Amino acid sequence: MKFFLDSANLEEVKNALEWGIIDGVTTNPSLIAKEGVPIEEQIRKICDIFEGDVSAEVISDTAQDMIKEGRRLAHVHRNVVVKVPLIAEGIKAVSRLSKEGIRTNVTLCFSAAQALVAAKAGAYIVSPFIGRIDDLGWPGMDLIRDIVTIYRNYDFKTQVLAASVRGSLHVVEAAKAGAHIGTLPYKVLEQLFQHPLTEKGLEQFLADHRRAFEMAPV
Ligand code: G3P
């Protein structure tokens, strides 16, 4: 499973890179807005410190303008993947951009039918939003399972990126469901390492060792 960091914050990107387990970065207009820097400038800064796929989302609402914007974003850096919302105009743009060799991440996916359309349009990645489906009281993970099954049935090359991930359970369940990628907010990435028994066990190891060798506390 590939881990992407779901953030446009340079400090979070730098810190996450130190773990050596990040394969990509995803952003969206809300994450870019939080940084207060125009998207092309912020995406270039991320691409300057990270060697991997970086998703940058269009904000236009017509296919024609999405295509123009997508071409512009793709030129920011060779690692840019153009994020396009899964709406009718977006699918027209994805079909055009994929024919031009521009990789797309089709986002705001909430149904298997939408995911089927995205794959047929040539999407490089599709982003089903697990957490927001859970928020409605529906099992978001079922969507991941359905999409993975459908894509396997027809050998679609589009990668399933589990998005709107709210905790380590989402990561584990998405991995079990066969998602190719999970995009994780920084706080979720940190959660993956944490377990109280690990902390308790390490504390005991070090206490026993100190007691045996009367060493100063580490
Ligand atoms: O990758 C999409 C993500 O940024 C949205 O997450 O928690 O706002 O649904 P959330």
Side-chain angles (χ1 to χ4, degrees):
M1 183 185 213
K2 285 183 259 183
F3 282 173
F4 283 17
L5 177 69
D6 196 31
S7 174
N9 179 279
L10 293 178
E11 281 313 302
E12 288 186 350
V13 173
K14 286 175 192 164
N15 292 340
L17 287 179
E18 288 183 28
W19 281 308
I21 59 172
I22 297 299
D23 305 292
V25 172
T26 51
T27 71
N28 61 44
S30 302
L31 295 173
I32 290 289
K34 270 172 70 177
E35 304 309 311
V37 175
I39 183 168
E40 293 184 37
E41 184 182 340
Q42 192 67 7
I43 293 297
R44 188 173 294 108
K45 287 178 179 173
I46 294 171
C47 292
D48 286 346
I49 61 172
F50 172 68
E51 182 62 36
D53 287 351
V54 178
S55 286
E57 188 162 341
V58 298
I59 55 171
S60 306
D61 56 7
T62 66
Q64 188 178 5
D65 289 343
M66 287 175 185
I67 291 164
K68 285 182 195 156
E69 195 180 351
R71 287 170 180 153
R72 206 167 52 243
L73 289 172
H75 274 96
V76 170
H77 193 282
R78 67 180 184 286
N79 291 341
V80 166
V81 178
V82 178
K83 221 176 186 184
V84 181
L86 215 162
I87 57 176
E89 287 299 299
I91 293 301
K92 291 177 188 173
V94 169
S95 290
R96 177 69 254 154
L97 291 169
S98 61
K99 288 184 177 69
E100 295 179 7
I102 293 174
R103 297 176 302 160
T104 57
N105 175 353
V106 182
T107 188
L108 288 168
C109 173
F110 293 96
S111 77
Q114 285 181 311
L116 189 48
V117 168
K120 287 186 65 63
Y124 174 68
I125 291 173
V126 68
S127 290
F129 277 39
I130 309 169
R132 295 192 189 185
I133 295 174
D134 287 356
D135 292 345
L136 296 178
W138 293 80
M141 206 54 70
D142 284 358
L143 176 58
I144 302 288
R145 280 186 275 272
D146 289 349
I147 297 171
V148 168
T149 301
I150 292 168
Y151 281 16
R152 279 186 187 144
N153 289 348
Y154 296 95
D155 196 26
F156 282 122
K157 302 306 180 198
T158 302
Q159 298 175 81
V160 181
L161 180 153
S164 187
V165 166
R166 302 286 172 78
S168 47
L169 185 60
H170 270 168
V171 179
V172 171
E173 290 303 313
K176 286 161 68 177
H180 302 87
I181 308 164
T183 194
L184 288 57
Y186 189 80
K187 66 178 172 38
V188 174
L189 188 61
E190 283 184 309
Q191 279 176 9
L192 294 180
F193 303 96
Q194 292 159 1
H195 194 290
L197 290 180
T198 304
E199 289 163 23
K200 187 169 182 291
L202 179 59
E203 197 176 304
Q204 188 61 57
F205 285 164
L206 298 179
D208 293 347
H209 191 271
R210 271 197 301 278
R211 199 168 26 258
F213 297 99
E214 295 301 318
M215 290 169 71
V218 174

